[in-house]
């Protein structure tokens, strides 16, 4: 019985489509990795920030909390929940960066007692 013959053009097409598939997968993987890296860079606090006093930390925490509550209160009054959700996602990245920076400057606060340091840590 003769061996089945294959069309030689099929091998060329398989190689072309395999190369196309690998290229698309590589571009997708690289863009995903780049996006994650950029997101982490935007959230991380700056290095070597000076420590804050206990009262300054309490004021900053209070301000961050008030800002978060005010931002969440916008959802019920928003004209479009989808648009407000997108705006919130953009705002949340910057907010997380500010919270991480405040945590770095206030963990532990300068001149804090053990109880004050524990309370500040619990507040974050």
């Amino acid at each position: 019985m003769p061996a089945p013959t294959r069309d030689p053009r099929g091998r060329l097409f398989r190689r072309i489509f395999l190369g196309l598939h690998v290229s698309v997968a590589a571009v997708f993987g690289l863009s995903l990795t780049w996006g994650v890296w950029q997101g982490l860079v935007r959230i991380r606090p700056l290095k070597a920030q000076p420590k804050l006093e206990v009262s300054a930390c309490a004021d900053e925490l209070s301000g961050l909390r008030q800002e978060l509550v005010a931002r969440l209160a916008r959802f019920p009054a928003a004209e479009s929940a989808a648009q407000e959700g997108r705006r919130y996602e953009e705002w949340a990245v910057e907010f997380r960066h500010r919270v991480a920076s405040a945590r770095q400057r206030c963990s532990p606060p300068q001149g804090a007692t053990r109880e004050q340091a524990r309370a500040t840590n619990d507040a974050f």
Side-chain angles (χ1 to χ4, degrees), residues 76-117:
E79 199 170 297
S80 169
Q83 289 176 351
E84 185 63 29
R86 282 191 289 280
R87 284 190 292 252
Y88 178 80
E89 287 175 1
E90 293 169 6
W91 172 84
V93 172
E94 177 63 31
F95 184 75
R96 281 187 230 138
H97 172 74
R98 288 186 289 141
V99 168
S101 294
R103 176 177 281 169
Q104 182 186 30
R105 288 178 289 167
C106 295
S107 290
Q110 185 178 11
T113 64
R114 179 173 283 168
E115 292 81 23
Q116 289 172 331

Side-chain angles (χ1 to χ4, degrees), residues 27-68:
V27 168
F28 177 75
L30 288 173
S31 65
L32 184 65
T33 303
W34 178 255
V36 168
W37 179 259
Q38 289 299 313
L40 290 174
V41 167
R42 288 177 59 191
I43 292 173
R44 286 186 185 155
L46 300 173
K47 302 233 186 254
Q49 295 180 351
K51 296 289 185 184
L52 295 178
E53 297 287 332
V54 176
S55 61
C57 287
D59 291 342
E60 190 161 354
L61 277 168
S62 177
L64 288 170
R65 183 185 180 282
Q66 289 174 355
E67 184 181 353
L68 177 62

